Amino acid sequence: MIDTTIPDAGLGEDDDDFDVLAVESDDQFPDDRYLDRELSWLKFNQRVLELGEDPTTPLIERANFLAIFASNLDEFFMVRVAGLKRRIITGLAVPTNVGRAPADVLADISAEAHRLQLRHAQAWTDSVRPALTEAGISVVSWDALDDADRAHLAEYFQAQVFPVLMPLAVDPAHPFPYISGLSLNLAIRIRNARTGRTEFARLKVPPMLPRFIEVPGSGGVRYILIEDLIANHLGDLFPGMEVIDHHAFRLTRNEDMVIEEDETENLIQALEAELMRRRFGPPIRLEITDDMDEVTLELLLKELSITDQEVYRLPGPLDLRALFSLTRIDRPELRYAPHVPVTAVPFRPVGNESRADIFGAIRNGDVLVHHPYESFATSVQAFLEQAARDPHVLAIKQTLYRTSGDSPIVQALIDAAEAGKQVLALVEVKARFDEAANIGWARQLEKAGVHVVYGLVGLKTHCKLALVIREEDGVLRHYSHVGTGNYNPKTSRLYEDFGLFTIDDQVGKDLTRLFNELSGYAIEKKFKRLLVAPRHLRKGLLRLIDKERRNALAGKDASIRIKVNSMVDEQIIDALYRASSAGVKVEVWVRGICSLKPGVPGLSENITVRSILGRYLEHSRIFAFHNDGDPQFYIGSADMMHRNLDRRVEALIRVVAPAHLTELGDLFALAMDEGTSSWHLGPEGEWTRHSVDAKGAPLVDAQDATMAQIARRRRARAVR
């Protein structure tokens, strides 16, 4: 029988004062052993951009990657840059993880962001847009249209656009208007024909109207940008005035949220007030078209209190998030080949059954599901829906961090509560940019009779847990699910994640105690098969890393494999440096930020760092340790960042089934193989893409290979 407990992973009663691995002094390490986290994030977004630039990426997917780049950068400015700027202004900023002054880091960010935004704009203007035109999808300018096209668009403008436009004058009687964050605007200079005075007006491009307006005709699909259409009908908005000039601009505001939970009596009310305040955060970035005149720019700088460093002068259209809309074009040959998630083999219906018995499948053994290759709907969603309708189920407990707008997960909880079951939902209302949606879900759940709680003061509940209590022959059984991703059916089709289903009684007891801690006042000292932050996870991982170091020093085989979204935490990085110095082979698979420097002689020459980006967003977190031939694997919700280890409730579960260990090990081997397409991190922080071999042939796409592997596995088991 496999021992599923975690030796020394949790804290006992007598080791609360345990000094985190005071095995060696870190004075041996160079001061410059980390990469700056903000610049590393920009390098991640550059990798996204490279997929948009890559001519081997399907054309509409290239446009989609350009939109993802733009959306990512918006959030980076609204949160990371805004937070850094706020700390500088308030005097609370401290040197960064690489010891640089915050003002210097802000300058570094600005320089790199300017470079990337120009590269992004040029990728659209010089590469993707011409390629779309060649494929019969044109984005045309007003000047390129003939009289018939213009007449049609003039009718469209009068009927669909003109009625919702709201030009706002700026003069002594009309103060400069409020400019909402991320809105697209036209700055217009006009001359009063009667007085000869030059005036200024601002016109917001209505966000509810389509950005790309189709121009009817033959010879492929043609679009014109709505701001181009509006700009060529300004005379209709300012009759009797001479339009001198017009330019597009876009403002980004600070939308980070700071809530002092210890000082508020009602978290929901405090959040709603903060959401209102977010709309009026100070400006942090001004994007303008490269043809904007200095008179207009000076006015915007003055009225918006923007510095020259915060101005981004760009060629081509602003706000390329609009390219997301092109993904609706029905041209499958310009997209990735369609992939339909398969049902995990244990959850396939048996015989003539219309749907599987999820509980019966879990009773036969742990089930590991890999999304989106394997279906979320026929696993996680089916698990909760069966629990809601099963008369033997007495209780359901679940965490909700992010979910979709029409969530069947939430509906299952509502159905269960209305059926008389005990239902507990821990809704994390502080999930960034989903706060308003989660408040809405929380209230809807409460109305249905669900017990809704909001977690612990000062902590975000980020763990992905579901627990079903079912009565079977007079005995209560625990059916548990621990995942790496959100309970969101929509993102489950785009995000790569794992989820483990188990009937293991020890896991059930661990989750019961953890839910009691989250909903009540219990404080758990130890769990058996879980590593839980903020109390246990950091120390548990550091012990496991150090055990590999000690095994290497003793001449034993030792290795560590970690897959995360971000690798930032200095204690974890230093522990990996110690392990590498002792001879441990360390492989890190990171999607986004990495502050670790691999390949530095005497420090990290045994550490390899890879990144894989593609059609799916790599989101799972995996931790694997050789453990002297008795491998220990964990999956869960935690990245290696301060916030995950110290300020969030996170959970990792140990995976024990031999087949699951093989599956996770094979996935790592594929990702780290030299024949697999990936980005390699160098010791100076540069990421180099390896996508073709020495002969120019494409390397293996890890996600395509995983799809094929899971399909083969399903077919093989079906034959049996």
Side-chain angles (χ1 to χ4, degrees), residues 70 86 92 141 177 196 220 243 267 287 356 372 433 572 580 584 595 625 644 693 720:
R86 184 184 65 246
L92 299 176
S141 67
V243 177
L267 177 60
E287 296 168 279
F433 299 125
I572 297 293
S580 171
V584 179
S595 294
F625 304 90
N644 298 91
D693 63 17
R720 293 178 203 165

Side-chain angles (χ1 to χ4, degrees), residues 163-188:
V164 297
L165 295 178
M166 298 181 183
L168 299 176
V170 177
D171 57 32
H174 301 87
F176 193 87
Y178 169 77
I179 308 296
S180 54
L182 302 187
S183 63
L184 185 62
N185 304 270
L186 292 180
I188 306 160

Side-chain angles (χ1 to χ4, degrees), residues 438-641:
N438 286 7
I439 289 172
W441 285 123
R443 287 176 170 155
Q444 185 175 343
L445 288 164
E446 285 177 324
K447 288 179 182 178
V450 174
H451 300 290
V452 178
V453 294
Y454 305 110
L456 304 175
V457 172
L459 299 174
K460 279 187 180 180
T461 303
H462 189 249
C463 49
K464 324 299 183 184
L465 312 173
L467 175 64
V468 172
I469 310 299
R470 189 172 189 266
E471 190 272 329
E472 298 174 3
D473 298 324
V475 178
L476 298 186
R477 306 291 298 274
H478 302 83
Y479 291 84
S480 306
H481 174 265
V482 179
T484 68
N486 297 309
Y487 291 103
N488 188 327
K490 290 185 177 179
T491 58
S492 72
R493 296 193 287 268
L494 299 172
Y495 287 21
E496 178 272 341
D497 276 301
F498 280 96
L500 182 72
F501 296 87
T502 183
I503 199 174
D504 184 283
D505 190 55
Q506 191 58 67
V507 175
K509 290 177 179 178
D510 281 353
L511 291 188
T512 298
R513 289 195 294 266
L514 180 52
F515 274 110
N516 288 344
E517 183 172 354
L518 294 172
S519 65
Y521 293 104
I523 299 177
E524 282 300 325
K525 289 279 187 175
K526 203 173 228 182
F527 298 96
K528 295 296 185 181
R529 198 169 151 186
L530 297 181
L531 285 171
V532 179
R535 290 184 58 80
H536 314 140
L537 179 52
R538 177 191 294 280
K539 292 183 179 181
L541 287 177
L542 288 172
R543 282 190 171 112
L544 289 164
I545 293 170
D546 192 57
K547 186 175 182 180
E548 296 301 314
R549 181 189 69 86
R550 288 185 278 112
N551 283 344
L553 291 175
K556 300 177 181 180
D557 288 341
S559 66
I560 298 168
R561 288 172 159 180
I562 297 177
K563 178 180 188 291
V564 286
N565 296 319
S566 300
M567 174 65 72
V568 175
D569 186 84
E570 290 86 0
Q571 285 186 343
I572 297 293
I573 291 174
D574 283 350
L576 294 175
Y577 286 155
R578 282 192 291 268
S580 171
S581 298
V584 179
K585 181 181 179 182
V586 179
E587 294 176 319
V588 178
W589 177 2
V590 61
R591 184 185 89 237
I593 307 170
C594 186
S595 294
L596 179 154
K597 287 185 174 184
V600 177
L603 178 71
S604 58
E605 62 262 57
N606 291 312
I607 300 179
T608 303
V609 180
R610 298 285 187 266
S611 182
I612 292 175
L613 283 76
R615 68 188 294 171
Y616 299 132
L617 184 144
E618 295 288 333
H619 193 250
S620 64
R621 291 87 164 182
I622 306 170
F623 303 83
F625 304 90
H626 184 270
N627 194 38
D628 194 21
D630 178 23
Q632 293 196 26
F633 280 73
Y634 303 84
I635 64 170
S637 57
D639 284 310
M640 296 298 94
M641 303 179 73

Side-chain angles (χ1 to χ4, degrees), residues 26 114 184 214 220 258 310 375 494 518 609 641 669:
D26 289 341
H114 273 87
L184 185 62
E214 188 168 355
V258 179
E310 295 166 325
S375 171
L494 299 172
L518 294 172
V609 180
M641 303 179 73

Side-chain angles (χ1 to χ4, degrees), residues 124 129 138-146 149-150 153-154 156-157 161 165 184-188 203-206 209-215 222-237 243 246-249 289 291 316-318 322:
W124 165 250
R129 179 176 173 177
S138 303
V139 180
V140 299
S141 67
W142 180 264
D143 294 339
L145 299 174
D146 61 25
D149 293 331
R150 294 182 181 184
L153 288 172
Y156 177 89
F157 175 81
V161 181
L165 295 178
L184 185 62
N185 304 270
L186 292 180
I188 306 160
L203 182 65
K204 180 177 180 178
V205 176
L209 297 181
R211 182 79 180 281
F212 289 93
I213 299 170
E214 188 168 355
V215 183
R222 294 182 300 161
Y223 296 98
I224 185 172
L225 290 168
I226 190 172
E227 63 266 31
D228 195 4
L229 175 63
I230 293 172
N232 283 280
H233 289 83
L234 291 177
D236 295 347
L237 290 161
V243 177
H246 64 271
H247 304 282
F249 72 96
T289 52
D291 60 351
L318 307 181

